[in-house]
Amino acid sequence: MAKERKMYYLLKTEASEWSWEDQAANGGITKWDGVKNRQAQNYLKSMSLHDLCFFYHSGNKARRIVGVVTVVREWYQDGDAGGAVDVKAVGEMRRAVDLKEMKGDPDMKDFILFRQPRLSVVPVSDNIWNKICALGGGYQGDAETATTSSPSPI
């Protein structure tokens, strides 16, 4: 049975290991693998085609959301590496959203990223997805213009 609505996730990567620039330069498509934690793997397994994921740079220097990718191939076994999903770059955030900024927002206090910071893959609720998109002014390739745009006339 097909999933009825799009889901949202956050994928973490060290910028020195795989950066947004690497993602974009790779034709925008890459295999997201190497996830060892069982709970994070389960989140990968739950992804469906066209689900959207924030691309998050982790590490000591920069902890921030820098872009958005979409799932183009659902979970598959990948030899000894375990499993993977394939993702494609959708667009860079118009403004990167820093972890400190997210933590400072009371509307985001329940974000699983804060409760389980070591997971490399986490689900993102609709409300938090929308809040982060608003903080970052959206992302290139989104269906909306800036969050400050006027509603179109009827």
Side-chain angles (χ1 to χ4, degrees), residues 55-104:
F55 192 101
Y56 179 90
H57 280 170
S58 60
N60 293 331
K61 294 185 180 182
R63 295 179 184 171
R64 60 183 175 233
I65 294 171
V66 295
V68 173
V69 296
T70 186
V71 176
V72 294
R73 183 178 178 192
E74 294 176 1
W75 175 266
Y76 59 94
Q77 285 304 120
D78 187 39
D80 295 337
V85 298
D86 290 352
V87 295
K88 180 178 182 178
V90 174
E92 190 170 0
M93 295 298 290
R94 290 189 176 92
R95 184 182 67 77
V97 181
D98 191 76
L99 177 64
K100 289 180 184 175
E101 185 177 7
M102 290 185 278
K103 283 186 168 184

Side-chain angles (χ1 to χ4, degrees), residues 10 32 41 49 56 76 79-80 91-92 103 118 138 154:
L10 180 142
W32 204 272
Q41 282 182 352
L49 289 177
Y56 179 90
Y76 59 94
D80 295 337
E92 190 170 0
K103 283 186 168 184
R118 299 202 41 90
I154 298 177

Side-chain angles (χ1 to χ4, degrees), residues 23 27 30 37 52 61 75 80 86 97 99 109 116 120-121 123 138 142:
Q23 181 73 34
T30 195
N37 179 283
L52 293 175
K61 294 185 180 182
W75 175 266
D80 295 337
D86 290 352
V97 181
L99 177 64
K109 66 180 171 47
Q116 294 182 294
S120 61
V121 180
D142 61 9

